[in-house]
Amino acid sequence: ASQARPPEKGSFPLDREHRCEKMKSEFLTCLKQNDNGHAACRAISKAYLECRQQHELMDDTPLAQLGFTDAASKAAKKAATNDLNGEKNKGDWVAGMHIKERPKSSFAISDPSTWFKRGGAQH
């Protein structure tokens, strides 16, 4: 039987006194307004974690270790805006359909109708 392990980053107790409730609500509202795109809500997420740290509801960990670096913020902003003018993640969007030309291949794709033909006498 496997044994339960504690969380990697330490405990994350409930905010029973609702000290950080405002930031949590703002974050959830932001997610709803942005189709669950968390990149647009990074500042609120950071404020929420800072609140939890200030009220000793989580370990005091440098925010850079939690992914709040300049490089991570830039990457998240880029990912949030790389959506082909709002077409990605809506409806039946299929990855790669925006590519106009197929890449040149070094191998030929065989005709699937020839894959199961048998040699020899026909029955």
Side-chain angles (χ1 to χ4, degrees):
S2 65
Q3 198 168 9
R5 296 182 312 191
E8 243 180 70
K9 301 284 184 189
S11 65
F12 201 83
L14 295 174
D15 184 7
R16 296 186 190 280
E17 295 175 19
H18 308 285
R19 296 176 185 160
C20 302
E21 184 72 26
K22 181 182 176 200
M23 267 76 65
K24 181 180 97 175
S25 295
E26 286 178 14
F27 180 70
L28 293 173
T29 299
C30 182
L31 286 175
K32 286 179 187 175
Q33 291 172 343
N34 291 285
D35 294 325
N36 290 323
H38 63 86
C41 309
R42 282 179 63 80
I44 301 168
S45 177
K46 182 178 178 184
Y48 174 65
L49 293 174
E50 287 172 330
C51 179
R52 289 190 62 87
Q53 287 181 358
Q54 289 169 0
H55 294 288
E56 298 179 357
L57 293 168
M58 64 180 282
D59 291 341
D60 194 17
T61 304
L63 293 175
Q65 288 182 0
L66 299 176
F68 292 95
T69 62
D70 287 341
S73 293
K74 288 177 186 174
K77 185 175 182 179
K78 183 178 178 183
T81 58
N82 184 20
D83 72 350
L84 296 175
N85 299 319
E87 294 302 314
K88 205 178 216 184
N89 299 322
K90 289 185 180 177
D92 294 328
W93 191 84
V94 178
M97 293 303 291
H98 64 286
I99 299 171
K100 304 290 184 219
E101 188 176 310
R102 296 188 90 173
K104 304 276 188 250
S105 177
S106 61
F107 62 92
I109 298 174
S110 63
D111 178 6
S113 65
T114 64
W115 291 352
F116 302 105
K117 287 189 177 178
R118 294 182 186 179
Q122 297 286 329
H123 296 290

